Amino acid sequence: MESNYNLETRFQERIDREEKIEARDWMPDKYRKTLIRQISQHAHSEIVGMLPEGNWITRAPTLRRKAALLAKVQDEAGHGLYLYSAAETLGATREQMIEDLHTGKAKYSSIFNYPTLAWADMGAIGWLVDGAAIMNQVMLTRTSYGPYARAMVRICKEESFHQRQGYEILLTLCRGSEAQKAMAQDAVNRFWWPSLMMFGPSDKESTNSAQSMKWKIKRKSNDELRQQFIDATVPQAEILGVTLPDPELKWDEESQHYNFGEIDWDEFWRVVKGHGPCNEDRLKARISAHEKGAWVREAAVAYAAKQKEIADQKAISA
Ligand SMILES: [Fe+2]
Ligand SMILES: [Fe+2]
């Protein structure tokens, strides 16, 4: 039996050579645990993320908008399923992951604990929230764990559709009446800062980051990704003609980046710890959907058992 020291050294060498780690490969326990936590958290975010937008499907202003929003929300369900499956390859069970979400043990992205108050919020979410998610997810297409990286490739294609449909909603509103412009501006004002918080605590505070970078689970730090998002988004705001609610936002010639104001980290931690405007509602909605769906799961299991019985009988009589 090889010593753990050797196994870990060889594991790191494979990562350094840019080899993908696959489900059956040896991996340090902490690598497995970190990935299960991260992937399941990501899966929960996709599923809980359906709630704020699902709220607007019946109120979309046109049939075209309704079809696009419906497709987008369905995509998010699909993302959740790919990700739960990716976490299962590491030995996590679906039941345990769902249980951890429902009991509050597992987290999901705090952005979904903010309410969607107006139609323009669908635009702001697509543009800013999916836009911020893409920054993170494009990086994850190159993450060291194979099943996670491959799930991300497909997810990213769909995310760019989400971002564009959001931007187009805002573009239409910004070219519309004064009231429509004001609605778009208000949505951007409410979602700007929470979107920046999606990248997580600053690098000085982020405890797991160094190890995740070494294992190439992450390839860019929270602050790097946040800066990249801001740099890409400010010019898009200019095209829309909306302002971003940060008086300190300013292009810096020297660094070739935008400078920006201080994030309200008290608010960030408050929402992470369960005290955001919608934390309770979101969990209630998830638990209720899970309970109401129990008969579907039971019927699927009963059907699978029946099919197996028929197949077994055929095999015996053959
Ligand atoms: Fe998604
Ligand atoms: Fe999305």
Side-chain angles (χ1 to χ4, degrees):
M1 179 91 179
E2 223 171 332
S3 75
N4 239 32
Y5 174 77
N6 270 342
L7 286 167
E8 284 211 38
T9 310
R10 278 181 32 204
F11 176 81
Q12 188 62 50
E13 282 166 2
R14 289 188 62 195
I15 303 251
D16 294 342
R17 282 199 301 270
E18 298 291 328
E19 278 176 37
K20 290 279 179 253
I21 306 301
E22 298 298 336
R24 286 160 195 246
D25 296 345
W26 185 89
M27 59 187 82
D29 220 32
K30 204 174 157 231
Y31 178 85
R32 185 186 301 275
K33 281 196 184 128
T34 303
L35 274 170
I36 289 177
R37 184 175 45 81
Q38 184 176 327
I39 300 173
S40 62
Q41 195 165 307
H42 193 162
H44 298 326
S45 302
E46 301 285 351
I47 299 295
V48 178
M50 297 166 76
L51 295 169
E53 290 176 297
N55 185 32
W56 281 89
I57 290 172
T58 54
R59 289 178 281 168
T62 66
L63 184 58
R64 178 171 163 266
R65 293 289 186 215
K66 191 196 284 270
L69 184 60
L70 197 56
K72 190 220 183 230
V73 173
Q74 280 181 324
D75 284 353
E76 306 299 8
H79 299 174
L81 294 180
Y82 306 151
L83 289 164
Y84 283 126
S85 302
E88 282 170 330
T89 64
L90 291 158
T93 67
R94 188 79 61 103
E95 290 74 15
Q96 188 62 52
M97 289 187 274
I98 301 285
E99 162 91 7
D100 288 349
L101 172 66
H102 291 175
T103 55
K105 192 180 160 215
K107 299 276 175 245
Y108 54 86
S109 179
S110 275
I111 190 77
F112 304 118
N113 290 318
Y114 289 84
T116 45
L117 305 175
W119 168 250
D121 291 18
M122 299 305 98
I125 288 180
W127 176 41
L128 298 174
V129 175
D130 291 89
I134 292 170
M135 290 290 162
N136 195 33
Q137 290 172 344
V138 165
M139 167 188 80
L140 290 172
T141 61
R142 298 191 303 123
T143 192
S144 57
Y145 186 56
Y148 193 22
R150 290 189 290 273
M152 278 302 140
V153 172
R154 177 150 176 199
I155 288 177
C156 279
K157 286 184 188 157
E158 293 174 346
E159 291 303 351
S160 72
F161 154 68
H162 299 172
Q163 204 236 3
R164 280 181 227 173
Q165 69 88 38
Y167 194 71
E168 202 226 343
I169 289 174
L170 287 183
L171 201 56
T172 306
L173 292 173
C174 287
R175 287 175 180 166
S177 67
E178 282 308 311
Q180 285 173 314
K181 271 184 230 169
M183 177 169 55
Q185 181 65 60
D186 179 60
V188 170
N189 289 348
R190 283 181 289 109
F191 279 96
W192 175 249
W193 288 106
S195 301
L196 299 189
M197 294 177 197
M198 284 173 69
F199 297 96
S202 75
D203 295 347
K204 338 186 253 302
E205 310 269 327
S206 182
T207 41
N208 298 322
S209 268
Q211 183 63 72
S212 284
M213 298 277 267
K214 188 165 179 237
W215 278 330
K216 295 186 181 170
I217 293 175
K218 287 173 72 148
R219 287 170 182 264
K220 288 179 182 174
S221 74
N222 295 355
D223 287 335
E224 270 177 273
L225 287 168
R226 187 165 16 242
Q227 186 69 57
Q228 194 185 340
F229 172 72
I230 292 171
D231 291 346
T233 309
V234 176
Q236 296 169 358
E238 282 162 13
I239 295 171
L240 288 175
V242 293
T243 57
L244 296 169
D246 178 1
E248 290 175 50
L249 197 61
K250 202 165 164 270
W251 178 251
D252 180 46
E253 259 310 315
E254 206 185 318
S255 66
Q256 293 289 301
H257 291 295
Y258 283 91
N259 290 333
F260 57 98
E262 186 66 29
I263 288 171
D264 182 350
W265 293 113
D266 290 341
E267 175 180 327
F268 172 81
W269 289 114
R270 206 162 50 238
V271 184
V272 168
K273 287 180 179 145
H275 309 295
C278 301
N279 295 58
E280 245 176 74
D281 285 358
R282 300 298 184 230
L283 267 192
K284 250 193 231 157
R286 278 312 316 153
I287 292 168
S288 146
H290 189 71
E291 283 168 359
K292 285 183 188 149
W295 69 272
V296 179
R297 293 189 294 279
E298 281 160 22
V301 170
Y303 180 75
K306 218 181 234 176
Q307 292 304 105
K308 187 174 179 297
E309 206 178 296
I310 294 168
D312 287 350
Q313 252 159 22
K314 267 193 195 149
I316 290 165
S317 54

